[in-house]
Amino acid sequence: MNDPADPVLSHDPWLSMKQFTPARIALGKAGMSLPTQAYLDFQLAHALARDAVKSPLDFSELTQHLNQQGMAAITLQTQVENQRAYLQRPDLGRLLSESALNTLSHLISRPFDAVVVVADGLSSKAIERHAIPFLTLLLPELSLRSYAVSPICLVRHGRVAIGDALAEHFSARLCMVLIGERPGLSSPDSMGIYFTYQARSGMTTDADRNCISNIHQRGLSYAQALKKLLYLIDEAERLQFSGVNLKDETSDVDPVAQLERGNFLLE
């Protein structure tokens, strides 16, 4: 195995930039190839990403955890029957199955202010690790705003747009979809949140949604994501729209500290 300190490895002038990103930059070279360690790291990251896509989410365990914390939940299925079909037919992941429609028809019908959807998406690991900790922060905030929230909808093989049909069913103004994002080689467990105001099936487009992305241990924290989501909710309520015209004006950067730090690209 190559030693990173080995003098046969070429020096990479981008090495100082590695401190700013987990992206695969400045990996070095051994002759015309990657160093062995960098190659093995890539293989491992690729395997973790594939596992995140192919591993099924344990919906029973998720429901049990939610119930233990006093959160009501229902499990629903899209028209996708298996993971292979989920990858090949995104359109079916946006439609509820007959059994899901039957389940919804037996629920007490009354308007809600908000619907929260949790879908496995392309990373079951993301939902497994981040959905419950985030909901534990989100639901009390919605309660403080006196919002009536529907039972949490756990959707197997769901795409983002599945939230539109559920918001319409519950007559909810606010739709939040927590979903496992497409795994990257540095983040196989990244969760995204899609927020839509007045979502309706067949009418809402992707341009009507706001996305909060990259929620994981080395990305956006739960507190940061919550701050952004609550800002979007408040602004959407005020302006009565969401999507590309609703900008996230929140910032976690201290402007004074940023000025003192300067522009690292000019260093």
Side-chain angles (χ1 to χ4, degrees), residues 17-36:
M17 306 290 281
K18 284 179 71 72
Q19 62 181 305
F20 300 112
T21 174
R24 283 182 163 72
I25 63 171
L27 299 178
K29 287 184 179 178
M32 296 300 292
S33 304
L34 284 174
T36 302

Side-chain angles (χ1 to χ4, degrees), residues 5-78:
D6 194 318
V8 303
L9 297 179
S10 305
H11 173 71
D12 194 316
W14 285 53
L15 195 60
S16 62
M17 306 290 281
K18 284 179 71 72
Q19 62 181 305
F20 300 112
T21 174
R24 283 182 163 72
I25 63 171
L27 299 178
K29 287 184 179 178
M32 296 300 292
S33 304
L34 284 174
T36 302
Q37 187 60 55
Y39 176 73
L40 293 176
D41 289 344
F42 174 84
Q43 294 288 78
L44 175 60
H46 189 238
L48 291 173
R50 289 174 62 90
D51 280 350
V53 173
K54 294 188 173 183
S55 301
L57 179 64
D58 189 337
F59 280 86
S60 298
E61 185 177 353
L62 186 57
T63 302
Q64 186 178 358
H65 282 306
L66 290 170
N67 291 338
Q68 286 172 350
Q69 298 190 36
M71 306 178 197
I74 54 173
T75 301
L76 305 168
Q77 172 88 31
T78 64

Side-chain angles (χ1 to χ4, degrees), residues 136-199:
T136 303
L137 297 178
L138 171 63
L139 294 182
E141 290 292 336
L142 297 180
S143 179
L144 283 175
R145 285 166 165 74
S146 301
Y147 285 140
V149 181
S150 73
I152 297 169
C153 299
L154 308 178
V155 182
R156 183 179 283 109
H157 299 315
R159 298 277 175 175
V160 171
I162 199 66
D164 301 346
L166 293 166
E168 185 172 348
H169 175 81
F170 289 110
S171 301
R173 297 190 308 285
L174 313 174
C175 177
M176 288 149 275
V177 178
L178 281 58
I179 191 166
E181 296 184 319
R182 186 186 308 278
L185 290 176
S186 60
S187 55
D189 63 340
S190 180
M191 184 177 78
I193 301 171
Y194 288 81
F195 167 70
T196 314
Y197 186 79
Q198 297 286 20

Side-chain angles (χ1 to χ4, degrees), residues 200-218:
R200 292 297 180 265
S201 183
M203 299 177 63
T204 298
T205 71
D206 287 343
D208 298 317
R209 312 184 201 285
N210 289 92
C211 177
I212 302 168
S213 181
N214 204 34
I215 303 167
H216 58 94
Q217 191 173 12
R218 294 191 299 172

